[in-house]
Amino acid sequence: MDFIEELNERPEGSLDVTCHVLSDNSAQQLEDYLVDRLASCYISQEKLEERANQTGLAYSELIANKIPDKGSVMSGDFGEIFTLYFLDRQYEDDLKLIKKWRYKQDRKKAAPHSDVVLFNIEDLNNPSEDDFVICAESKQKATSSTFDPIASAISGYESDRTGRLAKTLVWLKEKAIDEGNQEDLSLASRFADELNTRYSKIYRAVAVVDRTFLNNEITKDINLPERTHDFEVIVIGIDDLKECYESVFQRACAEANL
């Protein structure tokens, strides 16, 4: 995601947050990047092929059966999926991206528990204290409203820090067992099982907002937790955010058969 760049010029009174924006004339790059990855967040290629053979349905129909309709759930899912890939590109480590949207019970509802989870582990057979989990709360604001995405993301971070992440790790393990997903089971077990080697937890509160609202959001009077290695607030501005995420979902279905 080289087209997401750090914002250096801020309005007076800006919050002490890390701020990024979509670089000029890069909207198409962002769309293409996410279109290539979106469907895999909801269904694996193996399962997609299996379902197509079983039902005779086109890939586009099967993907449409997994993704949310236009509205708040689609907006939220986009923010979470964008955050997953954005955070992955912030680290040189070979992170394991947990595509928890595959475990949704209802495509019209948000996935439960922590929004975004990434694992870093060098060797599953030899857990190390250098292993870590990245857990992020992601909030999105694509249209004008009184919603405060930064404060809401911080509130979600507090929930993750005080118990929700632990519940999420157990849930991921249980869902991996249900689905027979050995790779996800091995990863989740490494971090969910209490007797394992210690590991680090890194938290992020992420607000993805239409760039029109960016200056207003980062100058609000918000009580921020202390920024540390283990916690950071990140705000990302994207031009025409609503049009962007709706196009990504539409294209991910339409282009699935190409």
Side-chain angles (χ1 to χ4, degrees):
M1 280 194 184
D2 297 335
F3 40 83
I4 303 291
E5 58 188 22
E6 189 158 0
L7 180 65
N8 295 316
E9 294 185 11
R10 314 276 190 91
E12 186 177 349
S14 292
L15 295 166
D16 181 23
V17 298
T18 300
C19 195
H20 297 262
V21 294
L22 178 65
S23 56
D24 293 340
N25 304 314
S26 297
Q28 193 64 51
Q29 284 180 269
L30 175 62
E31 267 198 38
D32 293 344
Y33 181 92
L34 292 173
V35 166
D36 287 343
R37 293 160 175 78
L38 186 84
S40 72
C41 291
Y42 292 91
I43 186 170
S44 67
Q45 184 65 29
E46 180 183 20
K47 270 200 173 169
L48 189 61
E49 294 173 2
E50 180 184 313
R51 293 289 184 269
N53 290 331
Q54 290 171 340
T55 64
L57 295 175
Y59 285 0
S60 58
E61 295 173 284
L62 294 168
I63 293 169
N65 192 55
K66 300 290 288 184
I67 65 174
D69 298 330
K70 288 182 179 181
S72 60
V73 175
M74 179 182 284
S75 177
D77 277 16
F78 177 88
E80 293 171 3
I81 291 168
F82 172 87
T83 297
L84 180 78
Y85 287 105
F86 175 83
L87 292 176
D88 178 46
R89 295 300 295 268
Q90 302 302 297
Y91 288 80
E92 295 182 0
D93 307 89
D94 183 19
L95 300 178
K96 306 298 183 183
L97 282 63
I98 305 305
K99 298 176 178 178
K100 52 175 288 198
W101 306 273
R102 294 181 181 181
Y103 296 140
K104 274 192 176 194
Q105 298 296 316
D106 187 338
R107 70 179 183 86
K108 297 182 179 181
K109 294 181 180 179
H113 305 300
S114 301
D115 286 345
V116 177
V117 178
L118 304 93
F119 295 140
N120 179 74
I121 180 167
E122 288 290 331
D123 183 353
L124 273 172
N125 296 318
N126 296 288
S128 163
E129 292 193 359
D130 292 331
D131 298 340
F132 60 85
V133 174
I134 302 173
C135 177
E137 175 75 359
S138 175
K139 295 299 181 185
Q140 179 156 289
K141 183 172 182 176
T143 57
S144 179
S145 72
T146 58
F147 177 62
D148 190 334
I150 298 176
S152 183
I154 292 170
S155 177
Y157 146 71
E158 295 287 358
S159 295
D160 286 329
R161 182 180 62 83
T162 56
R164 189 169 61 183
L165 173 58
K167 293 177 182 178
T168 302
L169 296 172
V170 172
W171 175 78
L172 287 171
K173 180 179 177 180
E174 292 172 349
K175 298 305 289 186
I177 292 171
D178 288 344
E179 295 288 324
N181 188 325
Q182 184 58 53
E183 181 180 5
D184 276 9
L185 175 58
S186 297
L187 287 167
S189 296
R190 164 27 186 148
F191 295 99
D193 294 349
E194 294 182 2
L195 298 180
N196 276 334
T197 306
R198 292 171 61 89
Y199 60 88
S200 301
K201 299 172 187 174
I202 297 171
Y203 296 95
R204 297 291 182 258
V206 181
V208 182
V209 304
D210 189 290
R211 196 164 176 179
T212 305
F213 313 134
L214 182 62
N215 285 353
N216 184 58
E217 296 301 330
I218 63 175
T219 53
K220 287 184 175 178
D221 184 14
I222 298 173
N223 185 24
L224 299 178
E226 180 184 0
R227 185 203 295 238
T228 66
H229 169 73
D230 298 330
F231 173 72
E232 184 178 10
V233 178
I234 301 172
V235 184
I236 303 165
I238 297 176
D239 294 306
D240 302 316
L241 180 55
K242 183 174 185 292
E243 290 81 357
C244 174
Y245 78 73
E246 289 182 349
S247 180
V248 167
F249 276 88
Q250 186 274 328
R251 286 182 55 199
C253 285
E255 299 175 18
N257 299 318
L258 301 178

